[in-house]
Amino acid sequence: MVVEISFFDRSDDVEQRDLIDNIDAILYVSDPVSYEMLYANESAKRFMKTDDYLHAKCYKILHGETNPCYFCTNGLLDFEQFYVWEHISSIDGHRYLLKDKFIDWHGKTARLEIAQDITEHTSRNLFRLETTTLLECIRLLSAQEELKDAIETVLSTIGEYYQADRSYILELNQERTVGTNTFEWCRHGVESQIKFNQKIPLSQIPLWRDAIDAVSTMVIQDVEEIREKYPMEYGRMRFQNIRRLMAAPFNLQNQGLGYIGVDNPASNSNNPSLLQSVSYFVMNELQKRRLRAELEYQSSHDALTGLFNRNKYAQDIAALADKKLESAGVVFCDVNGLKFINDTQGHDAGDNQICVVSQILRTIFLNSAIYRLGGDEFLVLCEDISKEEFSQLTGAARDRFLSENGQSLASIGARWKSENIDLPSMVLKADMLMYDEKQKYHRSR
């Protein structure tokens, strides 16, 4: 229904005032500076359940807020045309189509808002939109090759659906004692908060701890609700400019593993069903992809040292066969006395010796691929390295391997070439040089 509002300039137009007073839509006028109510039609008074509204704060009498609404549109209005938007009321839970603009009110600028209840008209469309959004999130999770891209795209979709400032994922560590914000999407102009939410003990976020223990969905319509019960969390939320939030748990066999949430949702703010549905698929995708990544890591890394393993070495040697290298250096390394240590001190002591040698190699050969080929054997591949730098690094390794009693922790064989580079033959030569050094070690004992 189109309503002319010229009676605001012609207060003697009783017929038009009567018309506006009795339209079905809620219509009110307020001061955009003081937020005081200046006029309300009959529908607005029924919504507010009072006739005594003059000079009451619009945010309090219309929305039950204690401060100006975070979703207030005053900054978006002008005198020329209506700003049209949708909002779900925290008072009655209904969805409204709102039209706002500035008008002249007895010589002063005032805010006019007309709100039409569209709940019944849109409930079926909302269900359809929610279903469509859920299916899109599921598609996005499987379509993106990288986990980070997949999750961030889904968070963007969720954030837009809820018209939120921020959407994010909070994950727990294995012991379920520490929470970390692992992924985040922010609306344009909204400051990222992920840096403030890293490795937080649950004792410092009791609201989340209690919700995780109960594996429950959180819906906070006003952060002031938690001020007394959760003062520490209240302060954290106020610092991060969180005024309301919704979050759905990752539930695995009735155990909370984390949350997917939105901050300051302006749409569907009392309906977490999409979050609840998406959380299941996001959790599954996180677990599936991380399990796959872990298996891939295990297939290419040594479990004890974290260095590359023999399988990765074979893959890299094959790949480097087609790569034109300007120069290359190979270091073959073997831990000295490992069998003796295992026999006399136990395998834990032997494993510790292996880790010491691997850490020395890791510290010195920072930009090179390092492999543990077997129980006591290591190999370092240095691509496109000068002879001088390679000699310095191998010399530094030998120095670091010398123990306090003058014995070497490991024997080294090194080979460098800049022409006719054949890595397998260089590895073989380095192995032979290492073996010669190993014999010197045994003869010196």
Side-chain angles (χ1 to χ4, degrees), residues 11-168:
S11 56
D12 59 335
D13 194 335
V14 177
E15 182 178 348
Q16 192 168 56
R17 178 184 291 275
D18 218 28
L19 172 64
I20 290 179
D21 266 344
N22 291 286
I23 63 172
D24 290 335
I26 294 169
L27 185 149
Y28 74 90
V29 179
S30 64
D31 187 313
V33 178
S34 68
Y35 299 98
E36 291 184 353
M37 293 287 289
L38 303 175
Y39 168 79
N41 72 350
E42 292 301 318
S43 293
K45 287 187 278 189
R46 285 194 296 271
F47 178 84
M48 296 182 292
K49 298 179 180 178
T50 181
D51 290 334
D52 186 19
Y53 64 85
L54 281 176
H55 306 300
K57 301 294 186 182
C58 61
Y59 54 79
K60 183 175 183 180
I61 200 166
L62 288 167
H63 298 285
E65 302 281 355
T66 55
N67 295 295
C69 304
Y70 73 89
F71 49 82
C72 182
T73 60
N74 281 347
L76 304 171
L77 306 187
D78 57 37
F79 286 89
E80 300 301 319
Q81 58 186 357
F82 280 101
Y83 176 79
V84 182
W85 57 298
E86 292 184 17
H87 179 68
I88 296 178
S89 169
S90 60
I91 300 297
D92 62 7
H94 287 204
R95 175 179 287 270
Y96 289 87
L97 178 67
L98 303 112
K99 299 180 179 181
D100 305 341
K101 69 177 298 186
F102 284 145
I103 61 169
D104 182 272
W105 180 264
H106 304 299
K108 293 183 178 181
T109 298
R111 166 197 175 91
L112 167 72
E113 180 165 274
I114 303 171
Q116 184 73 47
D117 190 334
I118 59 172
T119 306
E120 292 185 9
H121 300 290
T122 59
S123 58
R124 183 174 297 177
N125 288 337
L126 282 175
F127 175 76
R128 189 177 298 130
L129 176 61
E130 181 178 316
T131 303
T132 302
T133 305
L134 174 59
L135 292 174
E136 177 65 6
C137 287
I138 296 171
R139 185 193 69 79
L140 290 168
L141 284 170
S142 59
Q144 297 282 356
E145 185 174 340
E146 295 295 327
L147 174 63
K148 183 175 184 292
D149 294 338
I151 298 299
E152 289 182 351
T153 306
V154 168
L155 289 179
S156 172
T157 302
I158 292 171
E160 295 293 351
Y161 175 83
Y162 284 105
Q163 296 181 30
D165 284 352
R166 180 173 169 264
S167 56
Y168 50 87

